[in-house]
């Protein structure tokens, strides 16, 4: 069923990292206009949605999306501080601002449509980055982990210069299971430190 859920202002926990927010919208859209977690939420869970749009920053102990039929868009900075990190499953995902995890939080994105990471969507992660969906990837954002793996299951297109790093002098694998291409021949660069 379709029913939209919208927040026209902020969404906050009472006690940082404690209260959780679980949203089920079916094929309806979810919209956050104001900041989410100025006082950090516990787990933010999205069970189902069409489009999900976060216009401002999102801060939670962890972020879980189980399903989505449209596009999930993060226009503000995303920050988690729990071991659960960020685990997103759905159609398309657009990351337009920075992503930060601490306390071993990983980022896993299972995209059946396009995963688009903007130049402002740099990721600094305390856990692994895993893209394991069937959809393609277009990226201009850098990804840095603390000795944790970075992996892409499907074709990656560089929309700008990209830097991937698991750190210097530490163990962290970087793997591409499909193609890696520039957008314009001979223009976009890829720099890897593993």
């Amino acid at each position: 069923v379709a029913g939209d859920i919208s927040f026209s202002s902020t969404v906050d926990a009472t006690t940082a990292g404690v209260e959780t927010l679980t949203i089920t919208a079916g094929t309806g859209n979810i919209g956050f206009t104001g900041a989410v977690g100025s006082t950090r939420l516990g787990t933010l869970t999205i069970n189902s949605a069409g489009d999900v749009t976060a216009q401002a920053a999102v801060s939670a102990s962890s972020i879980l999306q189980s399903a989505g039929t449209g596009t999930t868009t993060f226009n503000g900075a995303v920050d988690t501080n729990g071991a659960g990190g960020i685990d997103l499953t759905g159609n398309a995902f657009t990351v337009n601002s920075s992503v930060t995890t601490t306390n071993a939080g990983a980022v896993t994105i299972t995209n059946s449509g396009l995963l688009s990471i903007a130049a402002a969507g740099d990721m600094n992660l305390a856990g692994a980055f895993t893209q394991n969906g069937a959809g393609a990837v277009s990226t201009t954002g850098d990804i840095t982990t603390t000795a944790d793996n970075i992996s892409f299951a499907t074709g990656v297109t560089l929309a700008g210069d990209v830097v991937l790093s698991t750190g210097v002098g530490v163990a962290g694998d970087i793997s591409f299971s499909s193609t890696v291409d520039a957008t314009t021949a001979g223009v976009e660069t890829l720099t890897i430190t593993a």
Side-chain angles (χ1 to χ4, degrees):
V1 292
D4 295 343
I5 299 175
S6 60
F7 300 86
S8 297
S9 188
T10 57
V11 181
D12 290 302
T14 298
T15 304
V18 174
E19 291 81 20
T20 64
L21 177 61
T22 301
I23 302 176
T24 302
T27 57
N29 299 323
I30 299 171
F32 299 96
T33 300
V36 178
S38 294
T39 301
R40 186 187 298 274
L41 304 187
T43 301
L44 171 60
T45 302
I46 297 171
N47 287 323
S48 60
D51 294 331
V52 179
T53 305
Q55 297 288 8
V58 178
S59 180
S61 62
S62 59
I63 300 171
L64 170 65
Q65 180 173 339
S66 300
T69 57
T71 301
T72 295
T73 303
F74 296 100
N75 287 325
V78 179
D79 169 71
T80 66
N81 69 346
I86 301 169
D87 191 346
L88 306 174
T89 299
N91 180 35
F93 295 92
T94 300
V95 180
N96 288 327
S97 191
S98 62
V99 177
T100 304
T101 68
T102 55
N103 294 317
V107 171
T108 301
I109 302 177
T110 306
N111 57 305
S112 57
L114 179 65
L115 167 60
S116 177
I117 305 172
D122 292 345
M123 300 188 187
N124 288 282
L125 311 179
F129 173 87
T130 304
Q131 181 271 327
N132 59 6
V137 178
S138 173
T139 183
T140 315
D142 302 335
I143 301 175
T144 302
T145 71
T146 53
D148 298 291
N149 296 344
I150 298 172
S151 62
F152 295 91
T154 55
V156 175
T157 299
L158 306 179
D161 297 342
V162 173
V163 177
L164 304 177
S165 176
T166 60
V168 177
V170 293
D173 297 338
I174 298 177
S175 59
F176 300 88
S177 297
S178 187
T179 57
V180 181
D181 290 299
T183 298
T184 305
V187 174
E188 292 81 19
T189 65
L190 177 62
T191 302
I192 299 177
T193 302

